[in-house]
Amino acid sequence: MISLPVAGRWIGAAILAGYALDIGSNFFLQPAIRTGEGAMGLLGGAAAQPGLIGGIVLAGLVSGVISLAAAALLCQLTVARSIAWLGFLYLGLKATSFGMGGGEFASYQVFRTLGDAIAADPSGQLATLAGPLKDLVVAQRDGLHFPHMLLGGCGAFVLYLLLYRAQFVPSWLGLAGLVAAASQMTGVFTGVLGHEVSFLFLAPLALVHLVLALWLLARGFAGERAAAPA
């Protein structure tokens, strides 16, 4: 059976890969869709860059599959332990998050479809509605994005609670993750309510998640065998 240190390194690699994909998509690929001001800066940019839209969708799918695989491995490690329910809960949250991500990715395809239609008939009726259509699709995307992020914060909270309870990582790292996940959920909840999201609330979880990934790559989980009870 796989040892805990090795399993921890695999999960650390998965966390780091998903981290890199999500950061790259959110801060580099997605902002590059907009090529100008106004509604057509977004819709036209999406239509003119089908490869970019495909890259955003592909990055999200790969990140989601990696997260699911890591959650499944972690769930397997907890089966013989009293905290098995946390492992199954974490796997369920990641599976739900993966499903929600599909609806969010569809929004980018809608951007491209609308841009193509308006470019084909720039003086048509659809072109006169470019602004309202853009606002509608962006609102639909945000309506999925913020609950998706909130669910991600819940998943992170369960992850760090599991790691803390199982003593897979040092207590300080598990506690830091719990506080950071609570901060992220607090910040995202303002977005769910329709207010501005403060990235000061989101930054701690991004930092702690990076520290966790590097720690696991270097040290793995504490313990010898995956079958050993906590």
Side-chain angles (χ1 to χ4, degrees), residues 37-215:
E37 298 298 324
M40 288 309 296
L42 179 63
L43 302 180
Q49 305 176 91
L52 179 62
I53 300 300
I56 292 170
V57 174
L58 182 61
L61 288 175
V62 172
S63 176
V65 170
I66 290 174
S67 295
L68 274 177
L73 176 57
L74 190 58
C75 184
Q76 180 185 4
L77 297 178
T78 64
V79 166
R81 299 169 179 266
S82 61
I83 57 168
W85 66 275
L86 284 172
F88 284 105
L89 177 59
Y90 180 62
L91 179 59
L93 289 171
K94 297 306 288 186
T96 304
S97 179
F98 184 71
M100 291 180 67
E104 190 176 335
F105 299 145
S107 301
Y108 298 105
Q109 300 291 1
V110 175
F111 290 147
R112 187 178 68 178
T113 300
L114 287 173
D116 284 334
I118 294 173
D121 186 14
S123 60
Q125 185 176 11
L126 192 62
T128 64
L129 297 174
L133 286 172
K134 185 268 294 182
D135 292 340
L136 179 63
V137 179
V138 169
Q140 182 264 342
R141 185 258 182 189
D142 288 345
L144 290 169
H145 181 64
F146 291 121
H148 188 199
M149 288 182 64
L150 185 60
L151 187 66
C154 292
F157 189 89
V158 172
L159 169 65
Y160 285 102
L161 180 60
L162 187 157
L163 297 177
Y164 176 76
R165 290 280 304 277
Q167 299 179 347
F168 282 167
V169 298
S171 297
W172 63 266
L173 184 52
L175 291 173
L178 290 172
V179 173
S183 173
Q184 188 265 11
M185 288 187 286
T186 301
V188 172
F189 193 68
T190 62
V192 175
L193 296 178
H195 303 295
E196 289 292 326
V197 175
S198 174
F199 287 95
L200 293 177
F201 285 95
L202 311 185
L205 183 58
L207 177 60
V208 174
H209 229 43
L210 179 60
V211 172
L212 173 66
L214 296 176
W215 177 276

